[in-house]
Amino acid sequence: MSAAVPIADPGDPRLDDFRDLMHADTRPDRRGIVIAEGVNVVERLARSSYRVRAVVGVEAKLTALAPVLHQLDAPVYEVDKWTLSEAVGFRVTRGVLAAADRPEPVPAESLLATGWRFAVLEQINDFENLGSIFRNCAAFGVDGVLLDPRCADPLYRRSVRVSMGHVFGVGFAVLPGRWPDSLELLRAVGVDLLAMTPRAEAVAIRSVVAPRSWAVLLGAEGPGLTEAALAAADQWVRIPMAAGVDSLNVATAGAVAFAQLTC
Amino acid sequence: MSAAVPIADPGDPRLDDFRDLMHADTRPDRRGIVIAEGVNVVERLARSSYRVRAVVGVEAKLTALAPVLHQLDAPVYEVDKWTLSEAVGFRVTRGVLAAADRPEPVPAESLLATGWRFAVLEQINDFENLGSIFRNCAAFGVDGVLLDPRCADPLYRRSVRVSMGHVFGVGFAVLPGRWPDSLELLRAVGVDLLAMTPRAEAVAIRSVVAPRSWAVLLGAEGPGLTEAALAAADQWVRIPMAAGVDSLNVATAGAVAFAQLTC
């Protein structure tokens, strides 16, 4: 970057990527833009393969990001906090935002070729759970996330934020074709499908010997995996829990499984 | 209970416990009342030792709760969803609420006498993290939670909700006196203090042989445990993580530790 360009007018068209952020995810004209908020998340975005369009922030945050912004081929705008809040439409507490182009979708086959440990998500619609799952995948070195077509979009603002920016580093792909038949794609390349379920017939996760290549299947909170997804799995795995507790949060269950399989 | 009493007027004084819920936690006159929302959480409240003051809900939700409400010594009010939303001050999506008296605080010594597996929290101020920790404690059979005096209140509405009502079942106590000297209370009764930290000198959690009685120490997200708390611990424990990932969410880290120690 060259020096940050000061902007004083919240209506400046150079801030258009960041306008009306509260509703940005649902505006059809905005589906091509991904937003990162806060120093850590902007840093992860800048270090990722995503093409950054612009960064806007208050002086202190831009200074904190200077080492990363210096290597960035995108304009950086310096604003005060009032200009920033007025432009985006709410009080921005994190002080720095970046906008990036949404990358081309990765085909599931390509993603599968990049590693051997995966998470497969069925109908995960909650953006916070989705973001947390990416964060947990990053923590435990899970190589990629495969989504059934009914999952929410991991690049929505809230998911990005809760993931701490790890959606930019952990690859993901939507499984093509009919779910759960599409799981055959994984089996075809030798990935063992471990379905998480609280059912008593499932094997306790501590007793599972991690196969060379595995995918942990996680279903929506509440109902859990569908019968069809369970039937398509190679093995049912459960986390032993105290009596009377329905289940863990889906992202937490994933973390416990990843920890047991990788640590 | 006798039959549910219908109420049509949102201003009815019998609904006063549920009024202006959005701000209930910060109103000094409301600190004595605990609110449960949704069928599962109200059911956990009703089955707990808490004294329920009243239940209010729409017909379908009261019907779902009938077996539990029949054994409850508290009035049950049936309302339509508009009356309910108007009384509480926002659109209630869960359709049923219960109010209970805040129980007398449990002395830490008494809580420690009820079990041998504990979580100790330092400066956990985020209500969602706090609630999630209780949910995870319930899942893994952790017997109680000890809080340093700067932690948030587990009985706040958002914490109750995220805990799925498990704050009513997992006992908690505030550690008295100066933190972290107060950890001596645990050591005095033979509880081993395991401090969670990402530091390299810490022992990987999978290598820890669970002591007969243990407490997992968890610090605030971001800074983690203070030096003083780390110094007061018997052992430092870490979750092996991929390079470049700062840390897991504190509730998730707790779950991974509980799973390794109990499963």
Side-chain angles (χ1 to χ4, degrees):
Chain A
M1 93 184 208
S2 30
V5 178
I7 294 185
D9 172 12
D12 192 305
R14 291 172 293 181
L15 299 181
D16 280 356
D17 276 358
F18 304 98
R19 214 166 292 291
D20 191 21
L21 274 195
M22 199 68 94
H23 305 105
D25 284 332
T26 50
R27 279 168 44 196
D29 61 314
R30 290 296 295 279
R31 294 301 302 278
I33 298 180
V34 179
I35 298 290
E37 299 161 89
V39 170
N40 293 332
V41 180
V42 169
E43 177 164 353
R44 287 218 172 83
L45 176 66
R47 294 191 190 283
S48 78
S49 61
Y50 284 47
R51 202 188 74 81
V52 178
R53 297 164 58 94
V55 177
V56 59
V58 301
E59 187 183 4
K61 303 296 179 178
L62 296 180
T63 304
L65 281 165
V68 127
L69 297 180
H70 272 301
Q71 298 171 40
L72 198 66
D73 183 25
V76 176
Y77 303 120
E78 190 184 320
V79 293
D80 63 32
K81 59 181 178 180
W82 294 277
T83 306
L84 186 57
S85 297
E86 178 106 7
V88 305
F90 57 90
R91 192 163 144 250
V92 176
T93 51
R94 288 180 181 76
V96 64
L97 301 166
D101 286 328
R102 172 180 289 262
E104 286 299 313
V106 174
E109 293 86 342
S110 311
L111 182 68
L112 287 168
T114 64
W116 58 95
R117 296 174 295 196
F118 300 96
V120 177
L121 312 185
E122 182 187 46
Q123 258 180 294
I124 306 282
N125 292 313
D126 180 284
F127 292 116
E128 297 196 8
N129 285 340
L130 199 55
S132 297
I133 289 169
F134 276 84
R135 183 178 178 186
N136 296 343
C137 283
F140 292 108
V142 174
D143 299 304
V145 178
L146 294 141
L147 309 159
D148 106 271
R150 291 158 305 174
C151 286
D153 179 358
L155 295 181
Y156 262 39
R157 201 165 67 87
R158 194 139 55 98
S159 167
V160 169
R161 196 173 64 213
V162 174
S163 83
M164 303 285 279
H166 289 296
V167 281
F168 305 132
V170 176
F172 64 89
V174 176
L175 280 165
R178 226 171 112 102
W179 172 267
D181 301 347
S182 48
L183 288 171
E184 277 306 320
L185 265 184
L186 284 88
R187 220 192 310 265
V189 293
V191 181
D192 261 40
L193 304 174
L194 311 178
M196 298 294 293
T197 169
R199 298 189 186 199
E201 316 92 280
V203 181
I205 181 82
R206 70 163 176 282
S207 318
V208 175
V209 179
R212 201 193 68 85
S213 179
W214 49 259
V216 170
L217 270 65
L218 297 164
E221 227 178 311
L225 289 168
T226 58
E227 291 294 334
L230 284 168
D234 294 302
Q235 197 173 157
W236 293 359
V237 174
R238 71 183 163 83
I239 298 168
M241 269 182 277
V245 180
D246 24 18
S247 75
L248 289 166
N249 164 279
V250 60
T252 307
V256 169
F258 304 153
Q260 298 266 1
L261 292 168
T262 62
C263 290
Chain B
M1 91 182 209
S2 30
V5 178
I7 294 185
D9 172 13
D12 192 304
R14 289 171 295 179
L15 299 180
D16 280 355
D17 277 358
F18 304 98
R19 214 166 291 291
D20 191 22
L21 273 194
M22 199 68 94
H23 305 106
D25 284 332
T26 49
R27 280 167 46 195
D29 60 316
R30 289 295 296 278
R31 294 301 302 279
I33 297 181
V34 179
I35 298 290
E37 298 162 90
V39 170
N40 292 334
V41 180
V42 169
E43 177 165 351
R44 287 217 173 83
L45 175 67
R47 293 191 190 281
S48 77
S49 60
Y50 285 46
R51 203 188 73 80
V52 177
R53 297 164 59 93
V55 177
V56 60
V58 300
E59 187 183 4
K61 303 297 180 178
L62 295 181
T63 305
L65 281 165
V68 126
L69 297 180
H70 273 301
Q71 297 171 42
L72 198 66
D73 182 24
V76 176
Y77 303 120
E78 189 185 319
V79 292
D80 63 31
K81 59 181 179 181
W82 295 278
T83 307
L84 186 57
S85 298
E86 178 107 7
V88 305
F90 57 88
R91 191 163 145 252
V92 177
T93 52
R94 288 179 182 77
V96 63
L97 301 165
D101 287 327
R102 173 180 288 264
E104 286 298 312
V106 174
E109 293 86 342
S110 311
L111 182 68
L112 287 168
T114 64
W116 58 95
R117 297 175 294 197
F118 299 96
V120 177
L121 311 184
E122 183 187 45
Q123 259 180 293
I124 307 281
N125 291 314
D126 180 284
F127 292 116
E128 298 196 8
N129 284 341
L130 200 55
S132 297
I133 290 169
F134 277 83
R135 182 177 179 187
N136 296 343
C137 284
F140 293 108
V142 173
D143 299 302
V145 177
L146 294 140
L147 309 159
D148 106 270
R150 291 158 305 174
C151 286
D153 179 357
L155 294 181
Y156 262 39
R157 200 166 68 87
R158 194 139 54 99
S159 167
V160 168
R161 196 174 63 213
V162 174
S163 84
M164 303 285 278
H166 289 296
V167 282
F168 305 133
V170 176
F172 64 89
V174 177
L175 280 165
R178 227 171 112 102
W179 173 266
D181 300 348
S182 47
L183 289 172
E184 277 306 319
L185 265 184
L186 284 88
R187 221 191 309 265
V189 292
V191 181
D192 261 41
L193 304 174
L194 311 178
M196 298 295 292
T197 170
R199 298 190 188 199
E201 315 93 281
V203 181
I205 181 80
R206 70 164 175 282
S207 318
V208 174
V209 179
R212 201 192 67 85
S213 178
W214 50 259
V216 170
L217 271 64
L218 296 164
E221 226 178 308
L225 289 168
T226 58
E227 292 294 333
L230 285 168
D234 293 303
Q235 199 174 155
W236 292 359
V237 173
R238 72 183 162 82
I239 297 169
M241 269 182 277
V245 181
D246 24 19
S247 76
L248 290 167
N249 164 279
V250 59
T252 307
V256 170
F258 303 153
Q260 298 267 2
L261 292 168
T262 61
C263 290

